[in-house]
Amino acid sequence: MMILTKKMIEIRSILQRVGQSSTLTLPSIVVIGSQSSGKSSVLEAIVGHEFLPKGSNMVTRRPIELTLVNTPSSKEEYGEFPDLGLRRISDFTSIQRTLTELNMAVSDAECVSDDPIHLTVYSPNVPDLSLIDLPGYIQVVGANQPLQLKQKITELCDKYIQAPNVILAISAADVDLANSTALRASRRVDPRGERTIGVITKMDLVDPIRGASILNDQQYPLRLGYVGVVSRAPQSQGLFKMGPTNLLSAIAKQENAFFSSHPLEYGNDAGVNVGTTTLRKKLMHVLEQTMSSSLQSTSDAIRQELEEANYEFKVQYNDRPLSAESYLAESLDGFKHSFKQFAEEFGRPQMHELLKNELDQKVLDLLAARYWNKPIGDLTVAKPGLDSLADLPKAEPDSLYWHRQLDASTSALTKLGVGRLATTAVASSIQGHIDSLITNSTFSTHPFARQAIMEAASTILNERFYSTSDQVENCIKPYKFEIDIDDGEWTRGREHVGGVLKKELQDCESALKHLENTVGGRRKLREVMTFVDKARKGDIIVEGDPGSGAGGFSAALLGRGREAVFLRDRADIIKMRLLAVKSKQCANPKNKYYCPEVFLDAAATKLASTAVLFLNVELLSEFYYNFPRELDLRLGRHLSEEEIEKFAKEDSKIRRHLEVIRRKELLELVLGKMESLRQLEGLERDRQAAD
Ligand code: GDP
């Protein structure tokens, strides 16, 4: 009834996926032995391949949980490392290399690790078995090995040789059994020798009479007995080229030749077990027995764990179903929905406002540079008369000077690169909005999704950037030659710029207030400002390095003083200009040279409106159309199952939720399989009884 072992091994593999928290175990065969006892040779003889790490250095540093799956209907042989996602490796040298690397990754300081490597081998030539290879016991610690190594290996092996596992204790025939570390370890946990199989290797190295007496050992009697083997691969035939069946048959041939040449000691009538084939059969039989007798207790344990998982699911997650796919799909839907809302709220008026604000700043800069350029007093260069009146337009409509000033300002405004400025402003505003949409969505806890979404946005925006910016620049081109402002535009500009100037005034005033606070009060600031003013007018001659202090003020304080004087002067000018803008003269567009603020504001509005028309077509509509599609591409169906799983698990709450569901599902699956196994076993028993 080998089907039982196969099924149980399958169940064992499923249980391994249940996760770390699970304490469920199904019996396995644990292989222990001293270094060089021939442990690897025995395992490789069972598998029919050379695949274990070799070398003089201690190479097995992690347990290798080896699952052998017999595949009678397939010729293919291959190994898999499920934890690493490495599938179908048919080159066993490559398996050997991977195992060596995994082992060598354990640092010398750590010596050994109890984190097992899972390896499954599928082959028509292997029996269904579950084996665990452990680091070999060492007698003496090597010069460059840590002192606690011996102890650590013993502890690791002790952990694995507990019931219900079967112990495969390997000892070499040429070493006295009384000195076998493997048998001594087995004794400690299985004193009556009920679940230990003794394997005596290197039978060829001892005299047959002595060999037979070892196999009949009475000093360490084992219920499951001893098997003698000669499992070293025959060297002469060129081991590396040898195929699996070759290795198997070569070993069998070699063993046959050896044992049959001593029929008296090892023949059928001698009452001893010899040969790797015998050992394989024994292992299968013993594992099946052990698995079978643990059916009941394992079922019970699984049922209990399932109950716990069910309870957790109910209490913590309200029995709410969830899958990584559904979570992603819902999150994406939610996000798209909020994007749609944003798209409805962010259109031409919003873009216009955004652009106008940008241009308002540029207009203020231009005004400051061309009209409000009262020199800021500098202590070193201050000369009487230099702080002339602010360069403000007088009510002289025909003054060529003021004509030139306004023409130059208008030209600077239209030529400042409106296309680029507008496109950048809108693109970065969209990006900022997308970023806050993410922050307010379930994606906020998912760095992977956040990145994917931001990349989706910037890909579209970048693609459109240059053409949009060129288009906008092109369409405002006429304004570079002439700007006509009608009465309505003038009135609106006058009203708007009044607000801008007021805001600028407030900013100046609050900056002044802030300076007051930083220097320690209004009086102190006044004192410095007075000093700065005087120095500027030339009332005080300040000599020496302007970086150092003067007049009893530190350099830093003087710096603040100069800043404050600048702000005060600016505020004064803005106040005057506010009055001018409000004056009757500025109500009439004819007086545009007297009211550059109004004219430039109206011009900026024209630029913004024209730019917005094109931005809407070239950038915004394109973005609104493409963005949801780009999202689908990056976060939609084309993601692999692993990627979706990884995404969902970025959120620790979702991860726990998914894990509980997965655990529940796996346990239910296992329990179902266990139940049918037990029925099968019952039928088999009935059948045997009827026979
Ligand atoms: P491990 O360190 O316990 O894994 O031992 P190995 O399987 O690497 O074997 C140690 C040495 O013993 C190697 O040189 C093997 O070729 C040799 N060896 C293993 N089994 C036998 C055997 O049955 N007979 C002989 N003569 N040598 C063997």
Side-chain angles (χ1 to χ4, degrees):
M1 211 185 83
M2 281 312 161
I3 190 110
L4 179 73
T5 313
K6 197 177 194 69
K7 296 259 174 218
M8 290 288 263
I9 286 176
E10 204 182 301
I11 290 171
R12 192 171 194 280
S13 306
I14 303 174
L15 284 178
Q16 273 172 359
R17 287 167 30 212
V18 170
Q20 302 262 303
S21 60
S22 174
T23 49
L24 294 175
T25 48
L26 272 174
S28 184
I29 299 170
V30 181
V31 191
I32 53 169
S34 309
Q35 261 190 336
S36 300
S37 57
K39 193 158 67 68
S40 312
S41 304
V42 171
L43 276 169
E44 288 177 343
I46 292 170
V47 175
H49 280 282
E50 233 205 321
F51 69 101
L52 287 167
K54 299 274 155 62
S56 53
N57 198 353
M58 194 200 78
V59 275
T60 306
R61 296 181 175 200
R62 289 171 65 179
I64 302 173
E65 295 207 9
L66 178 64
T67 305
L68 304 183
V69 181
N70 180 250
T71 50
S73 54
S74 154
K75 278 209 172 85
E76 259 189 293
E77 290 191 286
Y78 56 89
E80 295 192 340
F81 291 93
D83 301 344
L84 307 182
L86 295 176
R87 310 256 171 234
R88 285 189 170 263
I89 313 171
S90 39
D91 174 10
F92 280 75
T93 325
S94 160
I95 295 180
Q96 188 175 41
R97 209 176 314 120
T98 307
L99 282 176
T100 309
E101 280 163 14
L102 288 171
N103 275 296
M104 290 329 245
V106 179
S107 68
D108 284 344
E110 210 185 335
C111 334
V112 288
S113 149
D114 57 5
D115 178 25
I117 298 168
H118 294 115
L119 168 65
T120 309
V121 172
Y122 298 83
S123 160
N125 305 316
V126 296
D128 286 307
L129 279 180
S130 155
L131 296 154
I132 302 172
D133 184 29
L134 292 166
Y137 291 111
I138 51 171
Q139 306 307 326
V140 271
V141 178
N144 47 5
Q145 288 172 326
L147 278 176
Q148 70 274 40
L149 180 60
K150 202 169 157 176
Q151 175 72 14
K152 279 199 155 182
I153 294 176
T154 307
E155 281 168 9
L156 175 63
C157 293
D158 280 358
K159 212 174 111 180
Y160 273 90
I161 55 181
Q162 304 302 324
N165 285 339
V166 175
I167 304 168
L168 196 65
I170 315 270
S171 318
D174 59 347
V175 176
D176 189 352
L177 276 203
N179 290 331
S180 161
T181 324
L183 283 173
R184 274 211 302 273
S186 133
R187 257 286 136 105
R188 279 202 306 277
V189 292
D190 176 28
R192 292 200 294 180
E194 286 178 329
R195 54 184 181 90
T196 304
I197 302 173
V199 175
I200 309 296
T201 59
K202 311 190 187 182
M203 291 296 286
D204 54 326
L205 296 187
V206 291
D207 171 79
I209 297 176
R210 181 167 147 59
S213 82
I214 298 175
L215 298 180
N216 279 317
D217 184 75
Q218 291 311 316
Q219 203 182 345
Y220 287 108
L222 298 175
R223 185 173 66 86
L224 303 171
Y226 287 89
V227 183
V229 295
V230 180
S231 53
R232 182 179 58 165
Q235 305 289 311
S236 54
Q237 300 189 17
L239 176 65
F240 291 105
K241 306 276 180 322
M242 206 180 286
T245 33
N246 282 347
L247 179 61
L248 287 180
S249 60
I251 288 177
K253 225 161 143 192
Q254 170 180 272
E255 279 185 322
N256 257 339
F258 175 74
F259 289 123
S260 56
S261 62
H262 306 288
L264 224 55
E265 291 83 2
Y266 301 130
N268 284 342
D269 301 332
V272 292
N273 288 316
V274 289
T276 305
T277 316
T278 313
L279 176 62
R280 282 167 148 232
K281 283 193 189 133
K282 196 178 198 64
L283 292 180
M284 287 155 75
H285 180 71
V286 169
L287 188 62
E288 186 183 271
Q289 294 285 314
T290 315
M291 291 255 188
S292 158
S293 62
S294 71
L295 257 182
Q296 180 65 49
S297 59
T298 311
S299 285
D300 291 348
I302 294 173
R303 196 166 291 116
Q304 192 180 340
E305 193 149 322
L306 179 60
E307 268 168 30
E308 279 164 22
N310 275 332
Y311 181 75
E312 190 182 345
F313 185 50
K314 190 182 178 66
V315 172
Q316 306 238 11
Y317 303 100
N318 232 337
D319 284 339
R320 193 160 52 85
L322 182 77
S323 72
E325 292 81 11
S326 68
Y327 175 67
L328 174 62
E330 275 167 34
S331 307
L332 194 56
D333 276 356
F335 185 77
K336 280 190 194 159
H337 183 72
S338 65
F339 173 71
K340 212 168 150 229
Q341 265 178 331
F342 157 72
E344 277 160 17
E345 287 158 12
F346 188 84
R348 275 159 59 176
Q350 288 70 25
M351 272 197 293
H352 188 278
E353 193 186 332
L354 189 77
L355 271 193
K356 190 61 202 327
N357 283 340
E358 291 283 325
L359 290 173
D360 284 347
Q361 283 311 311
K362 298 286 173 193
V363 166
L364 282 177
D365 291 346
L366 283 172
L367 288 166
R370 295 206 167 259
Y371 291 91
W372 311 340
N373 51 350
K374 185 175 181 173
I376 308 157
D378 185 297
L379 285 176
T380 52
V381 297
K383 288 192 185 73
L386 225 173
D387 59 336
S388 58
L389 273 177
D391 206 1
L392 298 174
K394 325 279 184 305
E396 303 162 349
D398 298 327
S399 155
L400 261 186
Y401 175 74
W402 294 116
H403 283 213
R404 272 203 308 275
Q405 282 291 74
L406 187 60
D407 290 346
S409 305
T410 312
S411 163
L413 177 66
T414 53
K415 288 180 186 157
L416 59 75
V418 176
R420 219 189 158 86
L421 176 92
T423 316
T424 309
V426 172
S428 49
S429 169
I430 292 176
Q431 265 170 323
H433 278 112
I434 298 293
D435 194 51
S436 71
L437 287 183
I438 300 175
T439 306
N440 294 317
S441 74
T442 30
F443 288 135
S444 61
T445 47
H446 296 279
F448 167 76
R450 178 182 282 275
Q451 196 185 343
I453 298 171
M454 288 315 283
E455 278 173 10
S458 56
T459 303
I460 305 172
L461 293 170
N462 288 343
E463 253 170 31
R464 316 283 323 155
F465 188 86
Y466 290 106
S467 66
T468 308
S469 147
D470 285 352
Q471 294 262 20
V472 174
E473 195 64 44
N474 258 339
C475 72
I476 59 135
K477 206 168 172 184
Y479 297 133
K480 292 182 184 172
F481 301 97
E482 194 175 13
I483 297 189
D484 276 334
I485 306 286
D486 64 26
D487 286 358
E489 287 167 345
W490 182 269
T491 312
R492 284 192 293 276
R494 185 174 171 224
E495 198 168 305
H496 184 260
V497 83
V500 174
L501 291 177
K502 265 189 211 142
K503 166 89 185 8
E504 186 66 10
L505 184 60
Q506 276 168 9
D507 288 350
C508 278
E509 282 166 353
S510 59
L512 258 176
K513 190 96 209 133
H514 178 70
L515 273 180
E516 265 176 33
N517 293 339
T518 41
V519 303
R522 171 183 284 229
R523 250 187 62 192
K524 182 105 186 182
L525 189 65
R526 281 273 154 84
E527 278 170 22
V528 204
M529 285 168 76
T530 313
F531 180 80
V532 172
D533 277 334
K534 280 185 179 162
R536 217 164 50 161
K537 280 190 192 129
D539 293 354
I540 302 170
I541 306 294
V542 180
E543 287 171 349
D545 178 7
S548 63
F553 301 109
S554 71
L557 201 52
L558 282 176
R560 300 258 154 77
R562 280 194 290 269
E563 229 177 289
V565 165
F566 167 79
L567 288 168
R568 180 206 60 202
D569 291 351
R570 173 120 172 187
D572 286 347
I573 293 172
I574 294 173
K575 274 185 216 154
M576 280 163 63
R577 294 312 298 163
L578 259 171
L579 286 176
V581 166
K582 280 186 190 151
S583 74
K584 250 205 205 118
Q585 266 158 320
C586 279
N588 189 346
K590 284 204 183 85
N591 292 330
K592 65 175 180 183
Y593 298 110
Y594 179 64
C595 314
E597 289 86 358
V598 181
F599 182 81
L600 290 173
D601 185 279
T605 303
K606 268 179 128 53
L607 291 173
S609 306
T610 313
V612 161
L613 285 180
F614 281 82
L615 283 168
N616 194 43
V617 180
E618 296 294 323
L619 195 66
L620 203 62
S621 307
E622 287 282 332
F623 185 78
Y624 287 167
Y625 177 79
N626 286 313
F627 186 58
R629 284 158 183 80
E630 193 73 34
L631 285 182
D632 280 338
L633 270 182
R634 287 164 194 262
L635 290 174
R637 263 157 285 136
H638 87 288
L639 285 186
S640 70
E641 222 170 283
E642 280 91 26
E643 283 170 316
I644 296 178
E645 188 91 8
K646 197 169 148 231
F647 151 78
K649 287 185 172 171
E650 279 177 342
D651 184 310
S652 56
K653 249 173 71 195
I654 299 294
R655 192 186 63 231
R656 285 195 296 274
H657 192 166
L658 286 174
E659 274 168 4
V660 159
I661 291 179
R662 189 180 144 86
R663 198 159 77 234
K664 241 168 60 69
E665 284 171 357
L666 286 174
L667 290 169
E668 272 159 8
L669 174 74
V670 164
L671 203 61
K673 284 180 183 278
M674 294 290 274
E675 286 305 320
S676 47
L677 262 190
R678 285 180 52 194
Q679 278 172 14
L680 200 74
E681 207 212 8
L683 284 177
E684 179 79 359
R685 235 178 302 134
D686 292 348
R687 196 181 57 74
Q688 280 171 3
D691 286 351

